[in-house]
Amino acid sequence: MKIKSLKELKNIKGQRILLRVDFNVPISSGGKIDKSEDYRIVQTLPTIKYLIKNKAKIIIMAHLGRPDGKVVEALRLDPVAVRLSHLLKKGIYKSQDILGQEVEKHISEMKDGDILMLENVRFDKREEKGDKKFAQELAKLGDIYINDAFAVCHRDQASVSTIADYLPSYAGFLLEDELNNLSAVINKPIKPLTVIIGGAKISTKIQLIKRFLTLADSVLLGGALANTVLNVMGVTTGKSLVEPKMYPIIKKIKLTDNKLRVPVDGVMAKNYEAKIGRLDALADVRPEELILDIGPDTIKLYEKIIKSSKMVVWNGPMGLIETPFFAKGTEDLVKILAKSKAYTVAGGGESVQVIRRLGLEKKFNFVSTGGGAMLEFLEGKKLPGLKKILIK
Ligand code: ADP
Ligand code: MG
C-alpha cells in the first residue's frame, strides 16, 4: 500500500494547509476534555508540530458529535481548541463559523506557523452529504489538503473525501501510521496471528470475525458479542445481551473450528446496575442472570494463546467496562497484551479508553484512533477518505 505522504510535500512555508483531523472526543459536563480522553488529539501532534516547524499556515477542520447540520452550542469545538492549545503550548484562533467573512479575513492575516480551527464542520448540513459545493467552498480557504483523520475516513463526507477532488491531497503522519500498521495485519501478518474481538454487538463485527477466521491462527471472542455465538453452540446465557437475528449467519460459521474460542467462564449479575457479581462456568448461567465479564479461566486460556502468538490484534471490551467490577477481564487482557512480546495492535473507542485508563498505551506497538474506520479497513472495505491519497 503506497500513499501520498506529507513527507513528500516540499516548500510548505507560507502555504495554507487545510488539515482534517478527527477530534471527536467526549466532552465532560464541565465543558472540558479529560486527560484520558484526548488520545485522538495527542496522536495528531506530530503532523501539527511538523507543519508549525515548517512554517505553514494551518487551518484545522474537525467535527464533534452529531449536530445534524445545525448549530448546537454544546458541540462547538472550543474545548477541543483549548486542549490542543494546551498540548502544543501555543495559541490557537478558533472561529465561530466554518465559512464566511470573519474566517476569510482571519486567514488573510495569518502568519507562517499560525493555527486557525474552524467551527464544527457538521454544523453545515452539507458536510455529511459529501456536498460538492460545500467541499469547494472549504477548498478555497487553502492551498493543500491534508487528511490526518483516519477515524472518520470510512465516511464519504465533504471535508473527508469530496474536498480531495479540489486540492492537492496528502496523508498526515497519523493516517500514514494507521495505514501502515493496519495493512501489515492483513497483508503481512507475523504468524501465529491471534485476533481478540469483544464489544457489544456481533452484528457490527461479524464481517471482521469471518475474515480473521481465514487470516488468523486464533480468533478469541469476549464481551456481549460472544453470547450470541454461545447460544448457537447450545449454551444458555440467561438474560444476557444477545442478537437472535444473527443466529442464521453464525450457524454458517464452522463453530467446531479450533481457531475460534469463546469464554468458558464469566461474571454474572441480575441487572446492569449491579456492583458485584457471581463467578461461574458459562455452562451454569442462571435464567435470571446476565453475563457481564469473562472469568479467570477464560483469561488464563486466552493468555496462553497470546503467549504463543507473534502478532495480536484486539478490538472490543471483554465485559461491561463502565462498572469497575465488570472491567477486570478487559483490564487483565490489557495488562497481558502490554507485557506480551508479540506485535500488538489495538483499537476501538471503548477499548482504547481502558488502555489509557491504565496508562499502558506506550506498551502496545500500535493503538489505533479508529473505531468504525478500523473495522472497515480490516474487513477489506475501501475507505472513501483514502481515494485520492492511496497511490494503488
Ligand atoms: P469498541 O468501541 O472498543 O469497539 P464496542 O463499541 O463494540 O467496543 O463495545 C463496547 C461496549 O460493549 C461497552 O460499552 C461495554 O460495556 C459493552 N459490553 C461488553 N461486554 C458486555 C457484556 N457482557 N454485557 C453488556 N455489555 C457489554
Ligand atoms: Mg464503541
Side-chain angles (χ1 to χ4, degrees), residues 219-240:
V219 176
L220 319 179
L221 301 185
L225 66 74
N227 299 337
T228 311
V229 181
L230 284 161
N231 278 184
V232 174
M233 288 173 161
V235 180
T236 51
T237 55
K239 285 193 304 179
S240 299

Side-chain angles (χ1 to χ4, degrees), residues 198-201 205 223-224 227 241 272 291-293 315-322 347-351:
K201 288 165 119 192
K205 299 189 182 177
N227 299 337
L241 186 65
Y272 288 107
I291 309 165
L292 296 179
D293 197 9
N315 172 282
M318 299 289 105
L320 190 75
I321 50 150
E322 292 80 1
E350 272 83 15
S351 311

Side-chain angles (χ1 to χ4, degrees), residues 127-130 152-158 160-162 384-385 387:
E127 166 65 8
E128 293 194 67
K129 292 181 181 149
V152 72
C153 275
H154 58 317
R155 305 287 183 213
D156 199 358
Q157 298 181 351
V160 181
S161 51
T162 326
K387 68 177 186 213

Side-chain angles (χ1 to χ4, degrees), residues 260-303:
L260 184 70
R261 301 299 183 105
V262 289
V264 292
D265 61 346
V267 187
M268 276 67 83
K270 288 195 179 130
N271 55 62
Y272 288 107
E273 291 71 42
K275 298 274 178 287
I276 194 153
R278 185 183 73 85
L279 179 67
D280 207 341
L282 286 190
D284 298 313
V285 179
R286 296 171 188 161
E288 71 279 12
E289 286 180 328
L290 304 148
I291 309 165
L292 296 179
D293 197 9
I294 56 171
D297 288 346
T298 309
I299 280 288
K300 256 185 236 141
L301 175 74
Y302 287 4
E303 181 172 24

Side-chain angles (χ1 to χ4, degrees), residues 195-199 205 208-210 212 219-223 225-226 313-318 375:
V195 179
I196 308 159
I197 304 173
K205 299 189 182 177
L208 193 72
I209 294 170
K210 278 165 89 179
F212 278 120
V219 176
L220 319 179
L221 301 185
L225 66 74
V313 181
W314 169 50
N315 172 282
M318 299 289 105
L375 296 181

Side-chain angles (χ1 to χ4, degrees), residues 28 58 89 129 138 164 166 173 246 283 316 321 328 330 342-343:
S28 77
I58 306 152
K89 299 185 185 67
K129 292 181 181 149
L138 287 170
Y166 306 108
F173 298 138
M246 296 301 291
I321 50 150
K328 188 173 186 308
T330 309
Y343 194 92

Side-chain angles (χ1 to χ4, degrees), residues 40-322:
R40 286 179 169 175
I41 304 177
V42 169
Q43 287 294 87
T44 60
L45 294 178
T47 296
I48 299 175
K49 286 181 177 166
Y50 178 86
L51 294 173
I52 297 171
K53 198 170 134 238
N54 287 282
K55 298 196 162 34
K57 294 171 180 160
I58 306 152
I59 303 161
I60 296 179
M61 299 184 291
H63 72 278
L64 190 61
R66 305 219 148 171
D68 268 339
K70 53 187 184 310
V71 177
V72 175
E73 290 302 323
L75 295 176
R76 288 197 181 272
L77 282 171
D78 299 56
V80 175
V82 169
R83 186 79 201 147
L84 177 63
S85 170
H86 171 83
L87 291 167
L88 286 170
K89 299 185 185 67
K90 179 181 166 68
I92 290 174
Y93 186 86
K94 155 75 191 29
S95 68
Q96 290 298 100
D97 301 312
I98 310 165
L99 297 163
Q101 272 181 356
E102 181 221 1
V103 171
E104 283 165 30
K105 181 166 179 293
H106 185 84
I107 293 175
S108 70
E109 289 165 1
M110 277 171 88
K111 295 192 193 66
D112 296 353
D114 278 358
I115 303 177
L116 163 68
M117 186 182 284
L118 301 178
E119 188 52 275
N120 189 342
V121 286
R122 288 193 183 168
F123 283 0
D124 193 309
K125 61 177 184 307
R126 298 174 294 172
E127 166 65 8
E128 293 194 67
K129 292 181 181 149
D131 185 80
K132 285 185 182 157
K133 183 88 195 327
F134 183 51
Q136 282 165 0
E137 286 170 26
L138 287 170
K140 273 195 201 130
L141 302 178
D143 304 301
I144 294 161
Y145 172 66
I146 291 178
N147 184 338
D148 213 18
F150 175 71
V152 72
C153 275
H154 58 317
R155 305 287 183 213
D156 199 358
Q157 298 181 351
S159 68
V160 181
S161 51
T162 326
I163 192 171
D165 289 332
Y166 306 108
L167 284 175
S169 303
Y170 295 84
F173 298 138
L174 172 61
L175 179 54
E176 193 175 350
D177 227 14
E178 294 272 6
L179 297 177
N180 284 340
N181 275 280
L182 299 179
S183 63
V185 170
I186 304 171
N187 299 327
K188 38 181 186 268
I190 317 166
K191 300 283 231 161
L193 166 67
T194 293
V195 179
I196 308 159
I197 304 173
K201 288 165 119 192
I202 194 148
S203 51
T204 63
K205 299 189 182 177
I206 189 74
Q207 293 308 333
L208 193 72
I209 294 170
K210 278 165 89 179
R211 183 150 205 232
F212 278 120
L213 281 172
T214 60
L215 286 177
D217 301 281
S218 300
V219 176
L220 319 179
L221 301 185
L225 66 74
N227 299 337
T228 311
V229 181
L230 284 161
N231 278 184
V232 174
M233 288 173 161
V235 180
T236 51
T237 55
K239 285 193 304 179
S240 299
L241 186 65
V242 285
E243 289 182 275
K245 71 169 197 295
M246 296 301 291
Y247 290 160
I249 296 164
I250 294 164
K251 277 185 187 144
K252 287 193 198 130
I253 299 174
K254 221 170 106 205
L255 294 175
T256 48
D257 198 332
N258 217 15
K259 268 186 182 181
L260 184 70
R261 301 299 183 105
V262 289
V264 292
D265 61 346
V267 187
M268 276 67 83
K270 288 195 179 130
N271 55 62
Y272 288 107
E273 291 71 42
K275 298 274 178 287
I276 194 153
R278 185 183 73 85
L279 179 67
D280 207 341
L282 286 190
D284 298 313
V285 179
R286 296 171 188 161
E288 71 279 12
E289 286 180 328
L290 304 148
I291 309 165
L292 296 179
D293 197 9
I294 56 171
D297 288 346
T298 309
I299 280 288
K300 256 185 236 141
L301 175 74
Y302 287 4
E303 181 172 24
K304 213 172 137 213
I305 299 170
I306 291 167
K307 275 193 171 148
S308 64
S309 308
K310 292 232 161 65
M311 187 179 239
V312 185
V313 181
W314 169 50
N315 172 282
M318 299 289 105
L320 190 75
I321 50 150
E322 292 80 1

